[in-house]
């Protein structure tokens, strides 16, 4: 019997998700034995044409990481969607827009101007910008165009499953691949991780007080943090209450609070708003000035509450940019 | 482009979603009604048991579905039927207004007011004032903005389909490997 064909592709992402696949270490050999990889640009040389030549549904599963940022990424997402039985959004960026999704706070022109002219590390006297068409020596080049905004994968094509995380841990990756190969898949559209909040598996859970009544908020670098006590009890914003479990609390293990990369559970529409709700309920002061003083410890609410989920938030992007 | 430069469609009038608590502000709105007080018809009132029940998700969803403004009304401090509910709303509102500012939504589009059951007049004043402020800002119109934004992806899909339909044979001859 022919081995099932699998594709890996990356869009707007940092490369961490690709690392996780490699991070499967010796398990990757087992995986490679069981499947035939038909596209994996970061590790192997395939051409888009090879994918185009496959029949519809010829790929069992595509693991696509990264947000959709350019026309090329949207085109490839479409192509791979057509050729794949299962389209799997792999990692926070494909799942929710991820860190690149924070670019939705700026307009395209603003981003291009900063990155090609304004950034302190840029020397670009001619103010050259990438162009869609270019002619050189009789050859015509066609380059991808930057979209006006960043999208999660399911805002461009239909997605069958989500593997969360920035990056997904080898454990959730292995579980997802195993479920796929053995046909033990849950309902379509599921996130392949436990559907409970991270606090449920946090090793510091016992130290979380019933009534927090926070009198101040601090960021992790401003304080030497107790390695055993609930972060919220220490006044540090931890996204645990608004984030899905499944990572094994690795950040907590490194004495860092959760930043929310696994996204919300299935009962939550908007991770940031839910965290805002939970956090504010737990503040001590009851007057405007007192509340503002505590909340002053969170200088960037959008970046803190939507570090990975801005593109999939209810508001999706900044208005008017 | 910002909201004030937005084209105001003919016949547009602000659409405000109001979350009123059962014990105070909703009763005040009722009082305004039986007292025959006239105020702008631009608010859609949603009655909740407590302002503390107003999940920030409700507010964002109202904006996402086309509200130009959101008004939350609850009991005065110390008067909450559930003791602490209005303080929770107050704290959420303080952070939410900063978050909304970060998302480019003008301050006047979200308002929290303490209105007791006896203050029918205050309902009238607050609603009229808010309608005027939002009228001056123009429509927020998120669904329309997103429809426009999503056209870039839909347009691309059409272009790709057209290229594929036109150039299958040509592509085959271009590459011969594998």
């Amino acid at each position: 019997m022919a081995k099932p064909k699998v594709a890996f592709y990356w869009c707007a992402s940092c490369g961490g998700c690709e690392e996780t696949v490699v991070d499967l270490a010796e398990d990757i050999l087992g995986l490679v034995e069981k499947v035939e990889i038909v596209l994996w640009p970061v590790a192997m040389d395939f051409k888009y044409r090879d994918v185009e030549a496959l029949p519809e549904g010829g790929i069992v599963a595509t693991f696509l990481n990264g947000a959709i940022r350019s026309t090329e990424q949207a085109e490839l997402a479409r192509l791979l969607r057509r050729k794949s039985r299962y389209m799997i959004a792999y990692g926070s960026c494909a799942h929710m827009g991820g860190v690149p999704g924070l670019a939705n706070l700026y307009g395209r022109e603003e981003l291009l101007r900063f990155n090609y002219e304004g950034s302190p590390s840029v020397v670009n006297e001619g103010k050259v910008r990438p162009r869609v068409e270019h002619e050189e020596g009789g050859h015509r080049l066609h380059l991808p165009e930057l979209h006006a905004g960043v999208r999660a994968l399911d805002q461009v094509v239909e997605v069958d499953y989500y593997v969360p995380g920035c990056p997904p841990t080898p454990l959730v990756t292995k579980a997802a691949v195993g479920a796929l190969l053995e046909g033990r898949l849950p309902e379509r559209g599921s996130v392949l991780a436990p559907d409970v909040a991270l606090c449920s598996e946090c090793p510091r859970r016992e130290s979380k007080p019933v009534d927090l009544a926070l009198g101040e908020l601090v960021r992790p670098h401003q304080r030497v943090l107790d390695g055993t006590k609930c972060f919220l009890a220490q006044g540090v914003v931890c996204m645990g209450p608004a984030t899905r479990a499944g990572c094994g609390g690795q950040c907590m293990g490194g004495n860092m609070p959760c930043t929310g990369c696994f996204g919300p559970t299935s009962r939550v529409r908007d991770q940031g708003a839910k965290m805002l709700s939970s956090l504010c309920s737990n503040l001590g002061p009851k007057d405007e000035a007192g509340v503002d003083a505590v909340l002053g410890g969170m200088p960037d609410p959008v970046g803190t509450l939507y570090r990975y989920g801005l593109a999939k938030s209810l508001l999706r992007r900044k208005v008017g940019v | 482009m910002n909201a004030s430069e937005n084209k105001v469609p003919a016949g547009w009038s602000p659409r405000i979603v109001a979350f009123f608590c059962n014990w105070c502000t909703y009763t005040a709105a009722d009082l305004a009604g039986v007292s025959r007080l006239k105020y702008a018809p631009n608010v859609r009132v949603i009655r909740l048991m407590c302002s503390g029940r107003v999940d920030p998700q409700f507010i964002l969803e109202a904006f996402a579905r086309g509200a130009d403004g959101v008004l939350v009304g609850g009991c005065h401090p110390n008067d909450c039927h559930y003791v602490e509910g209005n303080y929770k709303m107050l704290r959420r509102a303080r952070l939410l207004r900063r978050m909304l500012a970060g998302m480019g939504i003008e301050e006047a589009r979200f308002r929290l007011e303490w209105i007791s059951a006896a203050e029918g007049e205050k309902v009238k004043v607050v609603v009229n004032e808010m309608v005027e402020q939002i009228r001056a800002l123009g429509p927020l119109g998120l669904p329309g903005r997103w429809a426009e934004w999503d056209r870039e992806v839909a347009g691309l899909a059409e272009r790709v389909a057209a290229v594929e339909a036109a150039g299958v044979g040509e592509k085959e001859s271009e590459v011969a490997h594998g």
Side-chain angles (χ1 to χ4, degrees):
Chain A
M1 202 176 81
K3 290 184 197 173
K5 293 183 168 64
V6 170
F8 297 97
Y9 194 69
W10 72 346
C11 293
S13 62
C14 65
C17 288
E18 302 281 356
E19 281 297 324
T20 319
V21 178
V22 179
D23 242 10
L24 289 169
E26 59 272 19
D27 286 335
I28 198 164
L29 298 173
L31 174 67
V32 170
E33 263 172 32
K34 286 188 198 124
V35 301
E36 183 192 339
I37 296 172
V38 293
L39 179 73
W40 193 9
V42 82
M44 300 153 98
D45 186 21
F46 295 102
K47 305 296 179 213
Y48 296 163
R49 298 269 185 261
D50 299 330
V51 180
E52 280 167 11
L54 290 169
E56 309 272 308
I59 301 170
V60 170
T62 291
F63 289 81
L64 191 144
N65 75 76
I68 307 298
R69 205 335 152 206
S70 72
T71 50
E72 182 191 31
Q73 291 157 357
E75 275 175 45
L76 257 291
R78 263 171 213 290
L79 171 66
L80 288 164
R81 169 70 274 186
R82 242 187 15 248
K83 303 292 179 185
S84 314
R85 289 228 300 276
Y86 297 113
M87 174 58 97
I88 296 169
Y90 187 74
S92 300
C93 299
H95 179 197
M96 305 181 291
V99 172
L102 288 170
N104 282 356
L105 292 170
Y106 308 91
R108 177 165 43 196
E109 171 59 27
E110 208 178 343
L111 289 171
L112 286 172
R113 200 185 316 121
F114 180 79
N115 283 291
Y116 287 91
E117 295 163 31
S119 160
S121 60
V122 164
V123 179
N124 182 10
E125 278 159 18
K127 300 194 173 177
V128 179
R129 294 243 189 119
R131 276 176 297 172
V132 181
E133 300 284 351
H134 182 71
E135 228 171 293
E136 185 85 45
H139 294 282
R140 202 133 181 257
L141 295 175
H142 186 82
L143 294 171
E145 199 176 345
L146 203 62
H147 276 170
V150 176
R151 290 178 177 82
L153 183 58
D154 66 3
Q155 290 170 327
V156 180
V157 298
E158 215 173 310
V159 169
D160 297 299
Y161 294 102
Y162 303 84
V163 181
C166 182
T169 60
L171 215 63
V172 290
T173 304
K174 231 188 305 181
V177 172
L180 189 77
L181 292 178
E182 291 153 30
R184 289 182 284 107
L185 285 163
E187 198 190 333
R188 262 180 97 251
S190 304
V191 177
L192 302 178
D195 200 9
V196 289
L198 177 60
C199 293
S200 70
E201 66 176 25
C202 179
R204 306 176 183 215
R205 157 184 172 187
E206 297 305 319
S207 62
K208 184 178 177 186
V210 178
D211 185 10
L212 284 163
L214 293 169
E216 63 168 349
L217 289 181
V218 292
R219 287 181 285 161
H221 65 277
Q222 294 171 312
R223 170 95 28 107
V224 177
L225 298 173
D226 183 329
T228 57
K229 206 168 138 200
C230 172
F231 287 106
L232 286 163
Q234 300 183 62
V236 177
V237 177
C238 175
M239 293 282 285
T243 303
R244 193 182 277 268
C247 60
Q250 295 189 43
C251 295
M252 276 104 241
N255 204 15
M256 284 300 277
C258 171
T259 52
C261 74
F262 265 49
T265 62
S266 65
R267 276 91 58 206
V268 173
R269 288 286 305 273
D270 186 297
Q271 188 181 16
K274 206 69 200 168
M275 187 61 210
L276 185 154
S277 183
S278 154
L279 185 75
C280 291
S281 300
N282 285 311
L283 300 185
K286 294 180 176 181
D287 60 295
E288 286 188 6
V291 172
D292 287 351
V294 178
L295 292 174
M298 189 198 277
D300 176 14
V302 177
T304 308
L305 301 166
Y306 293 110
R307 185 167 304 179
Y308 307 93
L310 189 64
K312 283 287 278 180
S313 71
L314 281 163
L315 297 179
R316 290 172 64 185
R317 65 173 317 194
K318 186 166 176 174
V319 178
V321 295
Chain B
M1 184 178 87
N2 61 43
S4 51
E5 292 161 28
N6 229 5
K7 262 211 191 126
V8 179
W12 172 81
S13 180
R15 192 166 7 178
I16 298 171
V17 174
F19 297 99
F20 285 168
C21 101
N22 175 62
W23 304 100
C24 290
T25 315
Y26 189 84
T27 311
D30 212 16
L31 176 65
V34 295
S35 312
R36 306 281 178 99
L37 298 177
K38 281 190 180 155
Y39 58 86
N42 303 56
V43 272
R44 275 74 165 165
V45 178
I46 296 171
R47 179 200 209 174
L48 297 164
M49 290 311 281
C50 179
S51 59
R53 176 64 183 98
V54 182
D55 189 317
Q57 289 181 118
F58 300 170
I59 296 166
L60 299 188
E61 177 125 18
F63 283 125
R65 292 199 181 198
D68 301 300
V70 176
L71 170 64
V72 177
C75 305
H76 285 272
N78 268 327
D79 279 350
C80 178
H81 189 80
Y82 306 99
V83 188
E84 294 265 320
N86 54 357
Y87 294 124
K88 289 187 175 160
M89 186 59 226
L90 169 71
R91 299 185 198 118
R92 287 173 194 150
R94 298 308 290 178
L95 186 53
L96 191 62
R97 59 198 279 277
R98 282 175 58 203
M99 203 196 92
L100 290 173
M103 293 301 287
I105 294 179
E106 297 90 344
E107 203 174 309
R109 293 190 190 274
F110 169 60
R111 186 160 171 171
L112 171 65
E113 284 290 341
W114 306 135
I115 304 174
S116 84
E119 294 175 312
E121 179 72 19
K122 193 170 177 187
V123 172
K124 176 184 127 177
V125 171
V126 165
V127 167
N128 285 342
E129 208 176 273
M130 197 169 170
V131 168
E132 279 325 301
Q133 282 174 335
I134 292 179
R135 203 184 292 283
L137 287 173
L140 179 62
L142 287 185
R145 287 174 197 252
W146 290 338
E148 198 177 302
W149 191 47
D150 284 340
R151 263 198 285 280
E152 72 178 354
V153 175
L156 176 73
E158 282 160 24
R159 230 159 51 226
V160 172
V163 168
E164 278 172 359
V168 176
E170 183 193 335
K171 267 190 223 161
E172 300 280 315
S173 62
E174 224 175 276
V175 196
H177 66 92

